[in-house]
Amino acid sequence: MKQILLSASLVVLAAGCSVGQPKIKYGADECAHCRMNVVDAKFAAAIQTVKGRDYIFDAPECMVPFTGPKGHLVKDEVAHWYVTDFAHPGTLIDATKAFYLHAPTLKSPMRGNVAAFATDADRQAAKKIFPGDDLDWTSVQKLFTDE
């Protein structure tokens, strides 16, 4: 009996500590930075800390300053950065490897107007509809840190 209880306790403990990709509940989750509801599956973003805590954001323009000089976290506390693939709404991708497009016509939730893509081909296809500038992760961080 003790072994069963011990095994059950370990399973519950392991489940509570498992670290996977954050799950965004659109329309229910609140942006950790601006406190607006996260509703647009084309722009949402998330951070996962080294301790396994998830922070959800309505767009990269909220995620980046959350870890900036006046933010709530320091960058060293972040284990994973995620952004939504604009070409595949609701799909999170690694923010540090994404291809970004900055275009005024994108109309992101906080008007940062930056969309992320898993591939450069998807970014270039979107650029035909939303003319703008190609960015990388470093440029996105600079754009939203310097404002």
Side-chain angles (χ1 to χ4, degrees):
M1 184 66 175
K2 285 183 182 180
Q3 286 182 339
I4 292 172
L5 289 175
L6 180 60
S7 295
S9 298
L10 289 175
V11 167
V12 169
L13 182 62
C17 294
S18 66
V19 177
Q21 201 175 62
K23 305 285 187 252
I24 299 174
K25 294 180 234 92
Y26 296 96
D29 281 341
E30 185 179 88
C31 177
H33 182 69
C34 72
R35 300 295 181 210
M36 288 177 53
N37 277 355
V38 178
V39 295
D40 196 333
K42 294 180 294 197
F43 294 103
I47 286 174
Q48 194 167 70
T49 68
V50 293
K51 292 182 180 179
R53 181 167 181 195
D54 296 335
Y55 290 93
I56 308 299
F57 305 93
D58 56 2
E61 57 261 31
C62 282
M63 177 173 68
V64 171
F66 192 78
T67 62
K70 298 176 185 174
H72 297 282
L73 291 176
V74 294
K75 289 181 182 179
D76 290 345
E77 293 178 89
V78 178
H80 303 287
W81 304 81
Y82 296 98
V83 288
T84 300
D85 184 352
F86 187 85
H88 301 96
T91 303
L92 293 176
I93 57 176
D94 183 340
T96 65
K97 296 176 182 173
F99 298 86
Y100 295 90
L101 176 61
H102 183 221
T105 54
L106 281 167
K107 307 287 187 209
S108 64
M110 296 303 290
R111 298 298 182 243
N113 304 324
V114 170
F117 300 87
T119 68
D120 186 45
D122 284 342
R123 173 175 63 183
Q124 295 309 319
K127 196 172 181 179
K128 292 176 184 173
I129 302 165
F130 305 101
D133 300 316
D134 293 349
L135 301 176
D136 60 10
W137 175 237
T138 302
S139 301
V140 169
Q141 289 181 304
K142 184 168 177 37
L143 177 68
F144 296 128
T145 302
D146 291 347
E147 290 186 339

